[in-house]
Amino acid sequence: MTESNPSSTPSEPGEPGCAGGLSVLDPPGVPGPADAQDGAADPRTAPSTGVQDRLAGRLSDFTSLHEHTERLARARGLDATLAAVLASGADLLGAGRGVLVTRQPGGGPGQPVGLGLDRASLGALETVPSDQSLLARLLRDHDRPERLHSPDLAEDPATGARLRELATHLGLGGCYGLPLATEEDGPLAAAVWFYDGPAEPTERQRELAHRYCRIAAPLLAKQVEADKVRRTTEALRRGLLPDRLPQPAGLRLAARLVPAALDRSCGSDWYDAIPLPDGTVGLTVGSVSGDGPGAGPGSAPGAAAAMGRVRAALRAYAVLEGEDPVSVLGDLELLLKTTEPTRTATAVYAWVEPDERRITLAGAGHCPPVLVNRHGAEFVETSLSAPLGMLACWEAPGVEFTAERGDTLLLYTEGLARRCGPTLHAGQANLRRAAANAPRDVRIDPDRLCAHLLAVCPDRDGAHATDDLMLLAARFE
């Protein structure tokens, strides 16, 4: 195993005669003017074939490097960026497989990303002790090598016993490893590429790989920072929702949340199950949107903060007057107009008596709930009403009905309905049909029913979704 440190690495190749390292000087072995014979063409007016070949090779290298950096620039998100770095490095080095890890806040390697290596192989490589790990060495803050390479891992005496064993087992031959680091951020990631047999990259391949990793490092730094912000915001969004659902006697609850992409989201959804003092339960789902500060596409942080305030207020109103859903939503309307005047909200609130299986609910501009029973599934039609915050005074009559033992009440937000069909109405119909046609063993388990409905509704928008997907299921035992 050869370890090269930055201090012992020659400076970036640069040659006189042309910018960017290109040179038109005669390469060794090509006769110069002093060596021209009588009658021979003057090399100053007839460029040698060697020079042309050399220039063509350099131009080909820079073209290849440009193509790979363009591919990297088009990558969206941290996962796509890591995959691009791994694939391009393998192409430039002529390697067939590779592994890449990002550096965790504590300094150790994170979850590995593989190229040509399955989960079992990646898991096996994670068992290499840190003092033998190539990736760990490339992630060090101090004494970090500029590169690591070995022509044959299985036979290299400088390689640890565990790594030699795995190289033989996985069929890994030579390897070449590079850190991805910037002066400002230090080591961000490390990658090691493997050949299928004993081999080493050529000097030309090494130069291209080093150039590529120097270009990739600052782009990777931006993606790492963006991913950190995304994860933090997602954690905050989820922290505004219940960390667990209550399981009152006679009622089984389950929920699913799939947040929209943060850079495209226009609102934020909530769900909640509120145990009330008299043993009843308040169930609610809703969505906050509007033109408040930070609203519009990419307004998820502002909308999430507003959603947290609205949900907290609704919990308080439910405790005070939970058995009257119309009053709960009416109070929420007043609060919204007073404290969030530029925002609107859709909501449904249901007051449930588990023992009697009695449900009283009201909706404000929201999708009608679905009641799944032994005969199929049907909508619980609420009165038509505008969203909260849009009228001078909101009020709509409540709906009261009694469920049978084994029935499941589904509350969901508009994002899920729109995912299930080309229009809101068609999506609601498709969602009801999917619930009705679910296998019996799925319909009797609210958690499995939630998973089933998300699975059967096609993901039409993918990462470009602008609506959260929210689903709350309550089954009467």
Side-chain angles (χ1 to χ4, degrees):
M1 172 63 63
T2 303
E3 179 176 314
S4 302
N5 295 306
S7 59
S8 62
T9 303
S11 60
E12 179 71 23
E15 299 167 354
C18 184
L22 290 176
S23 174
V24 294
L25 297 179
D26 294 333
V30 177
D35 299 318
Q37 301 296 323
D38 291 341
D42 188 341
R44 290 171 296 180
T45 59
S48 70
T49 301
V51 171
Q52 292 176 338
D53 290 344
R54 185 180 178 189
L55 285 173
R58 295 290 283 180
L59 288 174
S60 175
D61 288 345
F62 282 114
T63 299
S64 177
L65 189 61
H66 177 69
E67 291 174 351
H68 285 289
T69 53
E70 273 198 333
R71 181 193 304 176
L72 180 65
R74 289 195 299 269
R76 292 292 179 266
L78 180 59
D79 291 344
T81 299
L82 297 177
V85 169
L86 200 53
S88 291
D91 288 344
L92 294 171
L93 290 167
R97 290 179 281 179
V99 60
L100 182 150
V101 295
T102 53
R103 189 175 190 263
Q104 296 300 294
Q111 190 73 22
V113 178
L115 174 69
L117 295 168
D118 57 21
R119 287 180 177 273
S121 299
L122 291 174
L125 289 172
E126 287 186 284
T127 65
V128 175
S130 58
D131 59 337
Q132 299 179 26
S133 171
L134 309 181
L135 295 167
R137 273 187 264 179
L138 292 168
L139 290 174
R140 290 190 303 218
D141 283 314
H142 306 289
D143 301 323
R144 182 175 65 254
E146 186 182 58
R147 65 176 182 260
L148 289 171
H149 59 101
S150 172
D152 191 353
L153 280 172
E155 300 296 332
D156 193 336
T159 302
R162 176 58 178 162
L163 189 53
R164 288 199 303 271
E165 176 188 350
L166 286 176
T168 301
H169 176 70
L170 300 176
L172 305 177
C175 76
Y176 197 81
L178 292 171
L180 287 100
T182 65
E183 185 175 347
E184 298 80 7
D185 303 289
L188 299 162
V192 177
W193 291 274
F194 302 104
Y195 297 90
D196 291 334
E200 280 195 282
T202 65
E203 189 60 39
R204 178 178 175 183
Q205 290 172 324
R206 294 184 188 191
E207 179 186 346
L208 285 174
H210 278 259
R211 286 181 181 271
Y212 176 79
C213 286
R214 279 194 289 272
I215 295 170
L219 295 177
L220 178 60
K222 292 181 179 180
Q223 292 292 349
V224 168
E225 184 61 29
D227 186 70
K228 186 186 302 181
V229 172
R230 181 187 66 81
R231 290 177 182 275
T232 300
T233 306
E234 290 291 356
L236 289 173
R237 292 178 77 189
R238 292 185 179 275
L240 294 171
L241 296 171
D243 56 355
R244 62 182 182 85
L245 291 172
Q247 297 297 335
L251 200 63
R252 289 178 59 194
L253 301 174
R256 286 292 190 280
L257 164 65
V258 181
L262 283 174
D263 58 339
R264 298 175 182 271
S265 178
C266 298
S268 188
D269 295 358
W270 81 78
Y271 70 92
D272 209 347
I274 310 160
L276 301 176
D278 58 359
T280 60
V281 180
L283 303 177
T284 177
V285 299
S287 179
V288 173
S289 60
D291 298 324
S299 64
M307 177 272 289
R309 294 190 291 270
V310 170
R311 172 180 167 257
L314 191 150
R315 289 177 67 89
Y317 297 144
V319 171
L320 292 174
E321 47 192 347
E323 66 181 44
D324 186 355
V326 173
S327 295
V328 171
L329 293 185
D331 290 344
L332 195 63
E333 154 84 5
L334 180 60
L335 178 82
L336 197 69
K337 293 182 66 174
T338 304
T339 63
E340 310 279 351
T342 59
R343 295 189 184 274
T344 62
T346 66
V348 62
Y349 174 78
W351 179 66
V352 179
E353 292 181 288
D355 293 340
E356 302 294 329
R357 299 186 298 279
R358 188 158 60 94
I359 304 165
T360 305
L361 62 81
H366 204 80
C367 298
V370 173
L371 185 65
V372 183
N373 52 43
R374 60 182 178 177
H375 304 295
E378 58 185 349
F379 290 118
V380 178
E381 295 293 349
T382 57
S383 300
L384 293 177
S385 170
L388 302 175
M390 293 189 67
L391 300 179
C393 180
W394 177 91
E395 186 170 348
V399 177
E400 184 175 333
F401 62 97
T402 301
E404 299 293 333
R405 194 180 305 276
D407 289 356
T408 299
L409 181 67
L410 296 175
L411 308 180
Y412 57 98
T413 53
E414 186 175 309
L416 181 59
R418 292 195 179 278
R419 170 169 163 167
C420 292
T423 65
L424 178 59
H425 180 73
Q428 291 172 354
N430 289 341
L431 180 65
R432 183 203 62 78
R433 190 177 302 112
N437 295 334
R440 183 181 180 280
D441 60 333
V442 171
R443 284 190 286 123
I444 64 176
D445 185 335
D447 191 69
R448 293 183 63 188
L449 181 59
C450 288
H452 173 78
L453 293 176
L454 288 180
V456 298
C457 290
D459 189 355
R460 301 176 185 276
D461 295 320
H464 304 295
T466 58
D467 289 320
D468 295 345
L469 307 181
M470 190 76 73
L471 181 62
L472 176 62
R475 174 180 167 83
F476 293 92
E477 297 293 297

